[in-house]
Amino acid sequence: MAVICLLGLMELGIRFFQERLSVDIQHIKGIPQILNNLGNSKGKHILFLGNSLTREGIDLEVFRHIWKIQGGTAASFQRVNPDDTTMLDWYYLFRYIIGPGHVPIDLVVVGFVRNQLSDQNTLHVDRLGGYFGGLAAMTEAFTCDIFNMGDRVDFLLSAVSRFYSNRERIKNVLLSMIPAYRESAQALNRAINNRSQDSRSTPHKYERLTRLLTYARERRTKMVFVAMPLPESYKITDDLRGAIVSAGGILLDCRSIDGLNPGDYTDGFHLSRRGAKIYSTRLAQEILGQTQPQEMLKIQSTLPPPGHLQ
Amino acid sequence: MLFNSWTFWIFFAVVLPIYWLLPHRPQTIFLLIASYFFYAWWDWRFLPIIAISTLMDYTLGHVIYSTPIGSQRKFYVCISVIVNLALLGVFKYYNFFSREFSVLLTAIGIPVSLPVLNVILPVGISFYTFQSMSYVLDIARGVTKPAKNLWNFALYVAFFPHLVAGPIMRSGTKEHDPLGRGLLKQLEVPRIFRSNDFQEGLYHILLGLFKKIVIGDNLASLVNYTFSSGRNDLTGLECLVGIYAFAWQIYADFSGYSSIAQGLAKWMGVDLMLNFRTPYLAINPSDFWRRWHISLSTWLRDYLYIPLGGSRQGEAQTYQNLLTTMIIGGLWHGANWTFLLWGAFHGFLLCAYRLVGARKMPHTNLGFLSKMWRVVLTFHLICFGWLLFRAENMTQVMLFVKLIATNHTITPLVISILWLMVFYVLPLFIYEWWADSRNNLIVLLTEHWGFRSVVYSYFIIMLILFPPATAHEFIYFQF
């Protein structure tokens, strides 16, 4: 009994202090407010969905400015970008948090790199259960995405306990206090990633991406997927192109942008402020250049459609 | 179905209440079905092997018991031993010896290519084969009686808490057994739920899960990184802390499994023997083997070392017996030269310890410093053995030894592994030191409930917060 009381106290403590645990939790908890702000704005509602690459890469002010001066229809813009998220997280986030809200979203711009849209990405059941789906998403999660018994129990525990769903974050905070941990953890992660990449020889699948596009179509939300720039180029497979286009989405290829150089990445992945300005400018131009979203948003664009888009 | 998986705990949550609702005989049959289901979860195709082994030893046990002492009885014992060892031989050793024999023949100018069996090793075969053999050998020695019925014996072999990684339980002697109550004898009488069984079981399970998940699995990533082949950028200190980490990984992993098995059995009213007694507090090699994998070391003592003559046939023969026993003990772990060398190394350690006459030295009432240097020295000797055990080949052993002797660069990896060991292992070490000094491994159960609650909460919080990035199988499942 005493053990249960102690654990209960831990749970209460985490519920009370969870937003101080990380900026990312603050952001996730703030998503309803972000959507409200978007809903309260006039014009079309455009949402950038992604992870920390989107957070660092999209400069909303620059994007808004370019959009306005190049004749884009009246629109308001917001970003939802929880850390370390990929396709599955974005699907549940859109399906269970963003979609059911009262704010109609006209256009969602999903930023990704490498294989972040594929089904083979790591399942973060703690986050799905705790933040992006919860018990409401249980049926779909257990039918379509989470088949392992252990993962299912983790999902349920995360849905009911904040202590459980935040354990990865608490662990990271505690381990970061260990001297030299960060350096050696990076080396270890590289070794693990190399091994897991070696073992992942199966072709990528995009069933979750298709589900996201199907749901978006039902809600009359247009989806644009943007292959974001990285210092080293990466492939976009025909399977991915096919999965996006056949389900009614649009793929924008921004892997290579004139003016961006390796110095515009702060850590080899995330864009610096200068890089974000360049990328946001280009992205606004690319979206305005697209026929389909223009029609949907009734955009008066003065730009010719760029030739290298898919 | 691993003890550190939710699947197992759901299975156990279904089995336990039904088990206690049933009367004795249906209880036994139900538990047998549950145990076979547990085993089939890995690979149902190996069920016939365990069933055949069970049936044969059950029959031979009765035949041996009813046969007068003499050559006929020895013949039946030989059949049991040969068939059991043949099972092990086919699944575990055939490919190794076939390969080495081919190499040998080729080296002397007779190139051959012997066939290789493409089979996987049945989980836990070394454990249940040895257990089954001990039953037959005990009947032959007149130490125990045959099982009253097949169901009891089948459950004795397949009892799921200890099926895949021990402890290797004896069937039970007619008289008081220093190893504790025999498993078969316990299964033949109705089980009763004793008042302290829940508390003790909970203690063993929480401690075992903590050892396995928090210590064993988290150290596994560091150890795998250090020992991964193809790394040529290691420093000597990285090798050294990698070996320390493996020492604690294998201890936490294996003793964690044994502890969970003890706890599960306790909740079913069954006592399993103690398999580990704070082995890294051993003060000499002989003491280490009284504390490490006790069910195997006592098995080897009773069914190999003593029948070989033990220490009764002069010093030279004693050394030979020690070496033979330890080499076979090493080979029991697997068909690899590194295991064989590990066994031989421990054999030499025991011989050397005996040779210097250290057995006559005082072992009790040692002062703190006197005990400390012995513990530290023994630990480092054991660690050298772990290098032999864990290394992928002898080239890696030589590389590690060379680097440890020559390269003492302190790197971030060294610092972080040491601190991670302090973080994960030190609380366990302090607890074990305390328990050892009180000569009571379940000393926590005698403490105030408030203190106990704090320790249990610590276990649970660590289990929630520090699961490994990837769950690992128990190391001893491969043996």
Side-chain angles (χ1 to χ4, degrees), chain B residues 35 47 59 62 101 111 147 165 223 264 330 366-367:
Chain B
S35 296
L47 278 179
T59 311
H62 279 277
F101 193 56
V223 171
L264 297 172
L366 292 171

Side-chain angles (χ1 to χ4, degrees), chain B residues 251-271:
Chain B
Y251 168 57
D253 189 283
F254 192 18
S255 70
Y257 179 93
S258 296
S259 185
I260 299 166
Q262 262 186 298
L264 297 172
K266 208 64 165 167
W267 278 358
M268 290 190 276
V270 173
D271 294 327

Side-chain angles (χ1 to χ4, degrees), chain A residues 53-66:
Chain A
L53 295 177
T54 295
R55 184 187 65 222
E56 301 298 321
I58 299 287
D59 186 324
L60 283 178
E61 286 305 313
V62 171
F63 191 93
R64 196 175 285 127
H65 175 69
I66 301 295

